[in-house]
Amino acid sequence: MSKKMRGNLMLMLTAFIWGSSFVAQKSGMDLIGPLAFNGIRTLIGGIVLIPAIMFLKNWKVKKALQAGETAAEVSEEDRKKENRLLIIGGICCGIALLVASNLQQIGIFYTTAGKAGFITALYVVLVPICGLFIGKKVRPVIWLCVLASAVGLYLLCMPAEGGFGHINKGDLLIMLCALCFTGHILVIDYFSPKVDGVKLSCIQFFVAGILSIILMFPLDPALGFDLPSFSTLIDSWLPVLYAGVLSCGVAYTLQIVAQADTDPTVASMILCLESVFAVIAGMIILGESMSLREIAGCLIMFAAIVVSQLPAKEERVRS
């Protein structure tokens, strides 16, 4: 099997894990509150990434040796500067993740896992638009993708018999979550070229997890959930571990390793399947269903997400 094929299969597995994790998030809400669930799973994700950091470090050294490269000398001052930036970036990313993931987790309680997966995926289209505010250019096709996404979102979330007054509050929370994930991606985009990406992710998981655990004491009861007991934590071990170990830890590591041998455009297309896997998993495991109107909305949104990831003509020429 070629490296490219192996990388594509790893990305497919990543998309499947992320998509099916919406089911785990939905199931976990049957037993514990949203902030408790997010706090525990992101802390688990941070713990899982610690050995992943060691693995990736050894993997990069091995690849460098195979390529005949030598490790670059880094001064103590540069190392301190990078570590300081890593901590600042991890805190900023962690706070953004805290807001986005908890909006998503609360929203999933009121809507289906499949719809949550598609609405969350809107951040793919929103990122270039919000990038305008930090001086990034937007290709004309992106505006068409935004329009198509709006049409698809309307069909997915608005019932045929009613207008905006009938929108599900869970769908609305997931829309806000998609906007917050857009901000999260832009923050990562700023820090990730300057620091180690996996270490950045590890720190953000610990920041989001610790803050979620602190905030669960006032917010989960206010949302109508009991604080978790030892017995409820034991009963909810499967969705928590799935979302923590596989979604946060394993899938992120697979993505990092796979993208080293995969074309970035192909990688983004494969990862777009996350929303499709969310719908399929919701139907098979939770017995969720969609009307023809909602399916049409999903198809339009998926097409807009895929088209938004296609490279510009200049990028194709350079490659």
Side-chain angles (χ1 to χ4, degrees), residues 112 115 154-161 279 283 288-299:
T112 65
K115 288 173 73 174
Y154 183 87
L155 293 175
L156 180 63
C157 300
M158 307 298 176
E161 66 278 2
V279 172
M283 289 179 173
E288 297 176 350
S289 62
M290 285 190 175
S291 65
L292 288 176
R293 177 187 176 93
E294 290 172 334
I295 292 172
C298 287
L299 291 174

Side-chain angles (χ1 to χ4, degrees), residues 187-206:
V187 175
I188 289 177
D189 185 60
Y190 175 81
F191 285 103
S192 60
K194 303 175 177 65
V195 297
D196 184 292
V198 185
K199 291 179 181 178
L200 180 71
S201 185
C202 183
I203 293 173
Q204 75 161 355
F205 283 145
F206 277 114

Side-chain angles (χ1 to χ4, degrees), residues 267-313:
S268 62
M269 297 294 178
I270 295 173
L271 292 176
C272 285
L273 291 172
E274 172 191 352
S275 55
V276 177
F277 284 129
V279 172
I280 295 172
M283 289 179 173
I284 294 174
I285 300 174
L286 300 179
E288 297 176 350
S289 62
M290 285 190 175
S291 65
L292 288 176
R293 177 187 176 93
E294 290 172 334
I295 292 172
C298 287
L299 291 174
I300 293 172
M301 289 174 66
F302 185 67
I305 290 167
V306 170
V307 170
S308 71
Q309 296 300 291
L310 293 174
K313 183 178 179 180

Side-chain angles (χ1 to χ4, degrees), residues 100-132:
S101 61
N102 281 303
L103 281 172
Q104 182 188 70
Q105 192 63 28
I106 297 169
I108 284 177
F109 182 73
Y110 300 104
T111 190
T112 65
K115 288 173 73 174
F118 264 97
I119 298 171
T120 300
L122 274 178
Y123 73 81
V124 175
V125 180
L126 292 174
V127 164
I129 298 299
C130 292
L132 280 173

Side-chain angles (χ1 to χ4, degrees), residues 51-62 196 199:
I53 289 170
M54 302 304 297
F55 165 78
L56 288 172
K57 181 181 178 180
N58 294 332
W59 176 71
K60 289 176 181 177
V61 170
K62 184 179 179 181
D196 184 292
K199 291 179 181 178

